[in-house]
C-alpha cells in the first residue's frame, strides 16, 4: 500500500473512532435520565435534552449524508425544527419535536449511513472533504452540544445521575501569583490545523505589548475574598453595564452558590458541597470576572494576550498547538472531556504548563477575555455564515481554553468560544492580567 493510501486509511479510521467516541458521550448524557427528563426544559436558557440529541443527528444528516455523500434526505421534514436559528431555546419545548425513542432511532439511522459513506468518500480535492474536514466539523459540533447538555444536567433539579472520579490532586502547590510575558510579535490563529473552524483562521502576526498574567485561573478562595470584601455591593468595581446587570439579576455570588449557616455551599450536578477553595471559580459572568479584576487592581486579558501566553514559545519563536507543545492533549496535560465533573485544583497539571510558566490554560474552566468576538484579518466564512460571522460584534465576549466539560476534539490553542457577557450557566471562570508599571518594564 502506498504511503498516501495508508494515510487515507488511517484518517478514515481516526474519523470513525472520533464519531463513535463522541456518540458514546451523547448517549451517556441522554440515557442518564428518563424520558420525562429528556423532554422537559430544565431552564429557559437551554433546550430540552431531546432537542439537542435530534439536532446533532439533523446536522450530521444535512452535512454528511446529503452534502458530502450526495444521498437522498432522510428527514427533510424536520430541518426547520432543528435549525437553531429558526427557534430560540425558550420556544423549543412547544415544537412538535421527535420523541425520545424516535430521536434515538433517527440518530442511529443517520450514523449508519455516515459510516457507510466514510468508506467511499474521497478525502481530498473538494475543500469540505479535504483532510475529512466535514467529518471533523460534525464531531466538534456534537461535542459542543454534549457540553451544552452537560450544562443542562447542572441546571436540572433532582438527585445526581452523573458520576465521575475526582481530578488529580495538585502536584505543584507553590505557584507564583503571575508570570511575565515579554513584548513582541507572535503568530495568532492558524492556517494549517486541518479541523480548525473558520473563526480561528487565517494565521496572522500580532504584536503584543509586555504584560503580566495570573499563573493560574482565579480560585474560589480568592473569589471568596472579593465577596467578603463586599465586592458585589460596591459599584466602584463594576462597569455601568455590569452594575446594572448585577442589580437587575440580584447577584450575590457565582451561580449555584448559596450562603448556608455561615459558609458558602455550591450545588454541583445534584450534590451540595462546601465551596472548595483551591479550585478555579466557575459559573461567573464576564461582568463578575471584570469586577473582580478591577477590585484586585488588575484587568481581564485580551484575546491576543491569552493566546500569546498559551502558544508562543520564545525558544523556537513559533506558536505551538497547545501550551505544552504540538501533541494532542493527554490526561496528564489538562482536565478535558468530562472525565471529572469539576475543575481540578490549581497546580494539578504541571505537564500542561505553557513556556511562559502559566498553568491550566487548557481545560478546567473557559476563561473570559476582555475582547469582543471579531473576525481575524482575511477571515472568510466556511462552510456557512451562521457558524461565526453572524455573531461578530460587541454583543459577545470571547472565552478561551475550554473547560472540564469540553472535549479535546473541540479545544486547541487557537479555539475561540463566545457568549453574552451575562451568561453564567456555562463552565466559565477567568484569570487576570495587568500592564506593567514604569519600574517593571523589561
Amino acid at each position: 500500500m502506498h504511503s498516501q493510501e495508508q494515510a487515507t486509511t488511517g484518517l478514515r479510521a481516526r474519523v470513525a473512532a472520533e464519531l463513535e467516541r463522541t456518540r458514546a458521550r451523547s448517549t451517556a448524557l441522554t440515557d442518564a435520565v428518563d424520558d420525562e427528563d429528556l423532554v422537559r426544559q430544565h431552564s429557559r436558557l437551554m433546550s430540552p435534552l431531546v432537542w439537542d440529541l435530534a439536532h446533532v443527528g439533523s446536522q450530521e444528516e444535512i452535512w454528511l449524508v446529503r452534502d458530502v455523500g450526495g444521498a437522498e434526505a432522510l428527514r427533510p421534514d424536520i430541518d426547520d425544527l432543528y435549525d437553531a436559528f429558526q427557534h430560540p431555546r425558550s420556544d423549543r419545548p412547544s415544537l412538535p419535536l421527535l420523541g425520545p425513542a424516535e430521536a434515538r432511532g433517527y440518530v442511529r439511522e443517520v450514523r449508519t449511513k455516515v459510516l457507510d459513506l466514510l468508506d467511499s468518500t474521497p478525502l481530498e480535492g473538494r475543500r469540505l472533504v479535504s483532510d475529512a474536514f466535514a467529518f471533523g466539523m460534525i464531531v466538534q459540533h456534537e461535542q459542543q452540544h454534549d457540553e451544552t447538555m452537560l450544562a443542562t444536567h447542572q441546571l436540572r433539579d433532582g438527585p445526581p445521575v452523573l458520576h465521575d472520579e475526582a481530578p488529580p490532586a495538585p502536584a505543584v502547590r507553590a505557584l507564583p501569583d503571575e508570570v511575565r510575558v515579554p513584548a513582541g510579535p507572535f503568530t495568532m490563529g492558524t492556517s494549517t490545523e486541518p479541523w480548525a473552524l473558520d473563526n480561528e483562521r487565517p494565521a496572522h502576526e500580532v504584536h503584543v505589548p509586555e504584560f503580566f498574567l495570573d499563573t493560574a485561573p482565579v480560585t474560589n478562595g480568592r473569589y471568596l475574598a472579593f465577596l467578603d470584601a463586599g465586592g458585589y455591593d460596591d459599584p466602584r468595581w463594576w462597569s455601568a453595564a455590569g452594575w446594572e446587570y448585577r442589580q437587575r439579576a440580584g447577584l450575590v455570588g457565582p451561580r449555584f452558590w448559596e450562603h448556608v449557616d455561615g459558609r458558602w455551599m455550591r450545588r454541583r450536578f445534584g450534590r451540595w458541597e462546601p465551596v472548595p477553595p483551591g479550585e478555579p471559580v466557575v459559573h461567573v459572568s464576564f461582568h463578575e470576572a471584570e469586577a473582580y479584576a478591577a477590585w484586585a487592581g488588575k484587568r481581564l486579558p485580551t484575546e491576543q494576550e491569552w493566546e500569546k501566553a498559551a502558544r508562543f514559545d520564545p525558544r523556537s519563536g513559533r506558536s505551538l498547538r497547545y501550551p505544552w507543545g504540538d501533541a494532542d492533549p493527554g490526561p496528564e496535560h489538562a482536565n478535558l472531556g468530562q472525565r471529572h465533573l469539576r475543575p481540578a485544583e490549581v497546580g494539578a497539571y504541571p505537564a500542561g504548563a505553557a513556556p511562559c510558566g502559566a498553568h491550566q490554560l487548557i481545560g478546567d474552566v473557559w476563561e473570559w477575555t476582555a475582547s469582543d468576538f471579531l473576525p481575524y484579518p482575511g477571515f472568510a466564512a466556511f462552510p456557512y455564515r451562521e457558524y461565526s460571522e453572524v455573531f461578530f460584534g460587541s454583543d459577545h465576549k470571547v472565552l478561551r481554553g475550554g473547560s472540564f466539560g469540553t472535549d479535546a476534539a473541540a479545544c486547541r490553542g487557537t479555539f475561540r468560544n463566545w457568549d453574552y457577557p451575562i451568561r453564567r450557566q456555562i463552565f466559565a471562570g477567568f484569570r487576570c492580567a495587568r500592564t506593567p508599571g514604569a519600574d517593571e518594564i523589561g
Side-chain angles (χ1 to χ4, degrees):
M1 183 181 293
H2 298 301
S3 59
Q4 181 61 44
E5 292 176 311
Q6 289 177 322
T8 301
T9 299
L11 181 56
R12 292 188 206 280
R14 178 191 167 206
V15 167
E18 286 292 280
L19 288 168
E20 181 179 2
R21 186 178 64 82
T22 297
R23 183 54 49 81
R25 183 184 181 191
S26 303
T27 300
L29 284 163
T30 50
D31 284 358
V33 295
D34 59 24
D35 286 359
E36 185 179 348
D37 254 1
L38 272 181
V39 302
R40 178 185 297 134
Q41 185 174 46
H42 298 279
S43 165
R44 287 177 61 83
L45 293 172
M46 313 300 279
S47 308
L49 290 167
V50 75
W51 186 92
D52 284 288
L53 179 62
H55 170 75
V56 298
S58 176
Q59 290 295 294
E60 188 171 336
E61 181 195 346
I62 289 170
W63 285 103
L64 298 185
V65 176
R66 300 184 201 172
D67 193 318
V68 172
E72 185 178 351
L74 294 172
R75 291 296 303 267
D77 56 307
I78 64 172
D79 288 356
D80 287 348
L81 283 178
Y82 296 101
D83 184 335
F85 289 89
Q86 294 264 7
H87 309 283
R89 288 178 175 177
S90 59
D91 295 347
R92 290 171 189 168
S94 64
L95 300 174
L97 303 177
L98 301 184
E102 195 175 5
R104 289 182 173 113
Y106 170 61
V107 298
R108 281 197 300 268
E109 184 180 7
V110 171
R111 178 53 54 85
T112 297
K113 291 188 176 295
V114 165
L115 292 177
D116 287 342
L117 72 90
L118 175 61
D119 291 334
S120 58
T121 300
L123 300 182
E124 58 185 0
R126 185 182 172 202
R127 184 180 174 190
L128 189 65
V129 297
S130 181
D131 294 314
F133 174 82
F135 295 91
M137 179 181 72
I138 289 301
V139 166
Q140 292 176 85
H141 174 262
E142 184 166 346
Q143 287 287 3
Q144 288 164 358
H145 276 272
D146 286 344
E147 183 167 0
T148 298
M149 289 195 283
L150 186 64
T152 302
H153 273 274
Q154 169 66 4
L155 286 160
R156 67 178 286 276
D157 293 323
V161 295
L162 299 178
H163 305 280
D164 70 324
E165 296 180 358
V172 181
R173 292 190 177 272
L175 291 173
D177 284 346
E178 57 187 12
V179 297
R180 172 181 168 269
V181 182
F186 86 106
T187 299
M188 186 173 186
T190 180
S191 297
T192 58
E193 186 74 26
W195 288 3
L197 304 170
D198 60 3
N199 63 64
E200 301 171 67
R201 301 172 181 269
H204 57 290
E205 188 175 279
V206 175
H207 186 278
V208 178
E210 181 180 2
F211 68 101
F212 286 90
L213 184 71
D214 286 357
T215 304
V218 171
T219 62
N220 290 321
R222 295 198 172 198
Y223 201 83
L224 280 165
F226 175 55
L227 287 177
D228 292 342
Y232 274 71
D233 300 315
D234 193 335
R236 287 183 299 163
W237 312 126
W238 300 75
S239 67
W243 184 246
E244 188 278 329
Y245 170 63
R246 197 253 15 96
Q247 291 182 297
R248 172 169 46 86
L251 304 186
V252 296
R255 185 155 192 179
F256 307 112
W257 284 29
E258 285 191 15
H259 203 242
V260 180
D261 296 331
R263 66 173 176 172
W264 285 97
M265 304 288 289
R266 72 172 182 189
R267 181 167 62 83
R268 182 178 63 85
F269 298 104
R271 304 165 180 86
W272 281 101
E273 60 191 17
V275 169
E279 289 183 14
V281 66
V282 64
H283 296 301
V284 290
S285 66
F286 168 85
H287 294 307
E288 290 164 286
E290 187 180 47
Y292 173 95
W295 171 79
K298 299 184 179 184
R299 57 177 174 80
L300 294 180
T302 65
E303 183 181 15
Q304 291 81 4
E305 288 172 333
W306 189 96
E307 187 169 325
K308 182 174 184 181
R311 298 186 62 212
F312 182 65
D313 181 2
R315 295 164 298 188
S316 63
R318 71 181 188 89
S319 293
L320 308 172
R321 293 180 68 216
Y322 297 95
W324 55 85
D326 295 332
D328 289 340
E332 72 278 15
H333 294 127
N335 182 6
L336 291 167
Q338 201 183 310
R339 289 194 303 271
H340 316 293
L341 294 174
R342 62 197 303 162
E345 289 191 37
V346 164
Y349 293 97
C356 70
H359 283 234
Q360 287 163 267
L361 284 156
I362 298 292
D364 289 306
V365 291
W366 287 103
E367 297 185 15
W368 288 108
T369 73
S371 299
D372 295 337
F373 184 48
L374 299 172
Y376 289 160
F379 168 83
F382 178 78
Y384 59 108
R385 290 185 62 248
E386 290 78 12
Y387 181 72
S388 302
E389 188 174 344
V390 298
F391 296 101
F392 289 146
S394 59
D395 288 346
H396 297 88
K397 292 294 184 181
V398 173
L399 302 102
R400 287 304 205 101
S403 76
F404 63 87
T406 306
D407 189 77
C411 186
R412 48 197 160 263
T414 57
F415 192 91
R416 307 172 76 196
N417 191 6
W418 65 94
D419 215 325
Y420 292 111
I422 65 171
R423 288 290 185 249
R424 306 203 317 153
Q425 85 277 14
I426 58 177
F427 304 116
F430 64 100
R431 73 181 72 211
C432 299
R434 67 180 180 90
T435 303
D439 59 337
E440 296 179 295
I441 297 175

